[in-house]
């Protein structure tokens, strides 16, 4: 797409007076990625809607939404001991309006790249503003909503809760608003730490023997898997006793296998899969469903490449299941363990070319951000962080399956796609 033209830029502040007390951050917040999660929603022009859509209505409803979500209008700061916290200053969020002479005709070919991020998401100002938004109006009347939310303020589930709430307020549906739970002390480390351990997933990756072992350049693609193929894959990944296998574990097992094959990794070497677990419902007692913050923990599993490629797919899925089944005891011990390290200096880097990271947005309300134009025809990360990064998300439309958003080395992407489609086709035999 061609460059977009910025029309205006301003800070939107809460429409009412909001609390000024600083918000304490949990260890899971402080160890979150020190940067932004960027997304872009695309909407087609909808003349049949009963709602009057306008950029001004978005600004007004955003100001109202920032009242319950007032922390997003604040700024990162530190307390008297130097620990990171959110200063609820009410300074506001960045709101940019832009125009494009393009249309949304080529939306099916969209892929997240650094270029698309720069087109549809505001550039990061200094000092950092936790939430940045850009509304791009296309010549055809379509809209792109680009978002950048600082990860220390919220994880994926919390972010989608905010955007769904903003959309509901825009449409005037204020009776269905679910208030965010802002007290993060529910995830405070215990006074009597138990089960302390050295969390591998919160360390830097080992330095490669050669610099090219970490790939920073990537090609990206969005690949859709039908619900039919997902059900067949889950069946193949299941145990002989009929044990249930989630769509996430089944699809991730297949992706891991195909990436190892596409990269032609040494079968005697090892590959590590990194992922996250949302702990809201796994804590004891469970966290409030609307807990707003970072409530996901990192986990990983390593396996010999030959076993990933040639072993049974249900064995690979079982390994993933074992790595993603932790409960309250593990999460509490992890939070206690993070207390002993310098959390704010944790390194952030890419992955060795043998590894991958899979983030699940499955089951999240990603298409409920209807601002009066209907559901988005596409939601995607605006960019990918590095090669080997994968998102799984529900495809748009009822019973539409799952979309794989993947970044991979340019020289391996074509082989990965070919292998993935071959494996899916073989499920029907």
């Amino acid at each position: 797409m061609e460059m977009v033209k910025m029309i205006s830029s301003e800070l939107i502040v809460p429409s009412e007076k909001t609390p000024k007390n600083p918000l304490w951050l949990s260890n899971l917040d402080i160890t979150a990625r020190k940067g932004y999660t960027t997304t872009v929603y695309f909407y087609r022009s909808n003349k049949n809607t009963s709602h009057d859509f306008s950029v001004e209505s978005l600004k007004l409803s955003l100001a109202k939404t920032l009242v319950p979500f007032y922390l997003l209008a604040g700024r990162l700061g530190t307390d008297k001991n130097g620990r990171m916290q959110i200063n609820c200053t009410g300074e506001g969020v960045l709101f940019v309006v832009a125009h494009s002479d393009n249309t949304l005709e080529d939306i099916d070919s969209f892929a997240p790249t650094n270029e698309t991020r720069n087109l549809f998401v505001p550039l990061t100002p200094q000092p950092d503003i936790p939430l940045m938004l850009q509304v791009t109006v296309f010549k055809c009347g379509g809209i792109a909503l680009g978002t950048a939310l600082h990860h220390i303020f919220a994880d994926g589930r919390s972010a989608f809760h905010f955007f769904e709430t903003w959309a509901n307020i825009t449409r005037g549906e204020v009776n269905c608003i679910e208030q965010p739970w802002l007290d993060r002390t529910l995830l405070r480390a215990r006074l009597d730490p138990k089960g302390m351990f050295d969390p591998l997933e919160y360390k830097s990756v080992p330095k490669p023997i050669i610099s090219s072992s970490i790939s920073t350049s990537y090609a990206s693609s969005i690949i859709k898997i039908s619900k039919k193929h997902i059900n067949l894959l889950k069946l193949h990944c299941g145990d002989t006793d009929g044990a249930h296998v989630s769509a996430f574990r089944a699809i991730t097992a297949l992706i891991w296998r195909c990436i190892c094959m596409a990269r032609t990794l040494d079968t005697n070497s090892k590959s590590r899969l990194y992922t996250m677990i949302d702990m809201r419902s796994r804590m004891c007692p469970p966290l409030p469903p609307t807990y707003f913050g970072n409530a996901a923990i990192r986990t990983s599993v390593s396996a010999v490449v030959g076993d990933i490629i040639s072993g049974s797919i249900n064995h690979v899925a079982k390994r993933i299941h074992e790595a993603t089944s932790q409960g309250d005891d593990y999460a509490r011990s992890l939070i206690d363990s993070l207390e002993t390290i310098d959390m704010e200096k944790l390194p952030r880097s890419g992955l060795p070319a043998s590894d991958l990271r899979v983030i699940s947005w499955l089951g999240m309300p990603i298409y409920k951000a209807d601002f009066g134009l209907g559901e988005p025809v596409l939601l995607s990360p605006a960019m990918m962080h590095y090669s080997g990064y994968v998102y799984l998300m529900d495809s748009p439309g009822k019973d539409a399956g799952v979309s794989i958003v993947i970044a991979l080395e340019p020289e391996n992407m074509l082989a990965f796609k070919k292998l993935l489609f071959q494996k899916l086709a073989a499920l029907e035999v």
Side-chain angles (χ1 to χ4, degrees):
M1 289 187 175
E2 298 177 1
M3 294 294 292
V4 300
K5 180 181 179 181
M6 188 176 75
I7 305 300
S8 65
S9 177
E10 62 184 296
L11 289 175
I12 305 294
V13 301
S15 61
E16 301 174 16
K17 187 177 180 180
T18 56
K20 300 300 182 183
N21 295 332
L23 287 179
W24 181 84
L25 293 172
S26 77
N27 292 349
L28 297 185
D29 295 314
I30 295 174
T31 55
R33 183 169 50 80
K34 302 294 189 295
Y36 292 85
T37 298
T38 60
T39 61
V40 58
Y41 297 79
F42 289 98
Y43 301 86
R44 296 194 189 280
S45 176
N46 186 356
K47 297 180 180 180
N48 297 321
T49 180
S50 59
H51 302 282
D52 293 328
F53 175 86
S54 69
V55 173
E56 288 304 314
S57 69
L58 287 180
K59 294 180 184 179
L60 292 173
S61 60
L62 176 59
K64 294 178 181 179
T65 309
L66 288 174
V67 174
F69 292 87
Y70 61 88
L71 75 166
L72 297 180
R75 300 292 184 266
L76 281 177
T78 55
D79 64 15
K80 61 182 181 180
N81 298 317
R83 183 185 175 94
M84 195 179 298
Q85 66 179 17
I86 296 176
N87 291 332
C88 299
T89 59
E91 293 176 69
V93 305
L94 183 64
F95 190 94
V96 174
V97 180
H99 181 269
S100 173
D101 287 330
N102 291 316
T103 67
L104 295 183
E105 293 177 356
D106 297 327
I107 194 68
D108 290 337
S109 62
F110 176 87
T113 64
N114 293 338
E115 179 185 10
T116 56
R117 185 255 182 264
N118 292 337
L119 283 175
F120 297 116
V121 180
L123 298 178
T124 305
Q126 294 295 331
D128 289 356
I129 297 175
L131 177 60
M132 303 181 295
L133 305 162
Q134 178 176 315
V135 176
T136 302
V137 182
F138 290 89
K139 181 173 62 176
C140 60
I143 297 290
L145 172 62
T147 78
L149 180 56
H150 202 292
H151 210 319
I152 288 178
F153 282 73
D155 59 13
R157 187 168 295 279
S158 293
F160 292 124
H161 176 202
F162 170 80
F163 292 117
E164 179 185 358
T165 303
W166 179 21
N168 289 341
I169 292 176
T170 304
R171 300 195 317 275
E173 298 181 9
V174 296
N175 294 330
C176 57
I177 301 304
E178 295 183 325
Q179 295 294 320
W181 183 283
L182 302 182
D183 180 10
R184 306 186 185 195
T185 60
L186 295 176
L187 293 179
R188 190 186 292 275
R190 294 171 291 195
L191 295 177
D192 180 23
K194 301 174 183 177
M196 304 280 281
F197 64 97
D198 195 15
L200 166 70
E201 294 79 15
Y202 290 82
K203 291 184 173 183
S204 61
V205 296
K207 289 186 177 181
I209 297 175
I210 54 174
S211 59
S212 60
S213 295
I214 290 184
S215 178
T216 55
S217 64
Y218 65 82
S220 60
S221 184
I222 301 177
I223 305 168
K224 295 181 179 180
I225 302 181
S226 69
K227 192 170 184 179
K228 173 186 175 182
H229 280 133
I230 294 169
N231 290 334
L232 288 171
L233 182 59
K234 289 168 64 177
L235 185 64
H236 278 71
C237 288
D239 292 333
T240 54
D241 60 2
H244 173 73
V245 176
S246 69
F248 167 77
R249 289 161 183 154
I251 296 171
T252 301
L254 180 60
I255 291 173
W256 197 5
R257 170 171 289 185
C258 291
I259 284 182
C260 287
M261 296 176 70
R263 286 171 163 171
T264 61
L265 299 178
D266 183 343
T267 55
N268 294 317
S269 65
K270 285 190 174 183
S271 173
R272 182 170 291 274
L273 164 71
Y274 295 86
T275 188
M276 306 285 291
I277 312 171
D278 186 347
M279 300 303 296
R280 286 172 175 79
S281 63
R282 300 188 185 200
M283 303 302 289
C284 186
L287 298 179
T290 60
Y291 179 92
F292 196 88
N294 288 277
I297 64 172
R298 304 179 196 175
T299 186
S300 70
V301 57
S302 176
V304 175
V305 170
D307 294 338
I308 299 170
I309 292 175
S310 303
S312 62
I313 192 71
N314 71 312
H315 176 71
V316 180
K318 185 178 293 186
R319 292 294 308 277
I320 298 171
H321 173 82
E322 293 168 354
T324 55
S325 299
Q326 292 91 337
D328 181 83
D329 287 345
Y330 181 88
R332 294 292 178 189
S333 294
L334 170 63
I335 293 169
D336 292 345
S337 300
L338 291 175
E339 195 79 7
T340 66
I341 64 177
D342 191 344
M343 294 180 287
E344 295 185 25
K345 293 185 178 180
L346 285 177
R348 302 293 185 267
S349 61
L351 292 173
S354 57
D355 298 352
L356 68 157
R357 188 182 306 277
V358 181
I359 303 299
S360 175
W361 288 351
L362 296 173
M364 295 188 188
I366 60 178
Y367 297 107
K368 290 188 176 181
D370 176 4
F371 293 91
L373 293 172
E375 293 184 357
V377 294
L378 176 67
L379 164 69
S380 171
M383 62 169 286
M384 305 297 279
H385 297 289
Y386 41 76
S387 183
Y389 214 103
V390 181
Y391 288 94
L392 297 183
M393 49 197 290
D394 298 309
S395 297
K398 187 178 181 180
D399 300 328
V402 168
S403 293
I404 301 171
V405 188
I406 181 171
L408 204 58
E409 304 81 33
E411 65 272 19
N412 295 329
M413 179 63 84
L414 185 60
F416 169 79
K417 287 183 177 181
K418 183 177 180 180
L419 286 163
L420 182 71
F421 291 136
Q422 286 177 344
K423 300 294 183 185
L424 291 174
L427 297 174
E428 301 185 59
V429 178

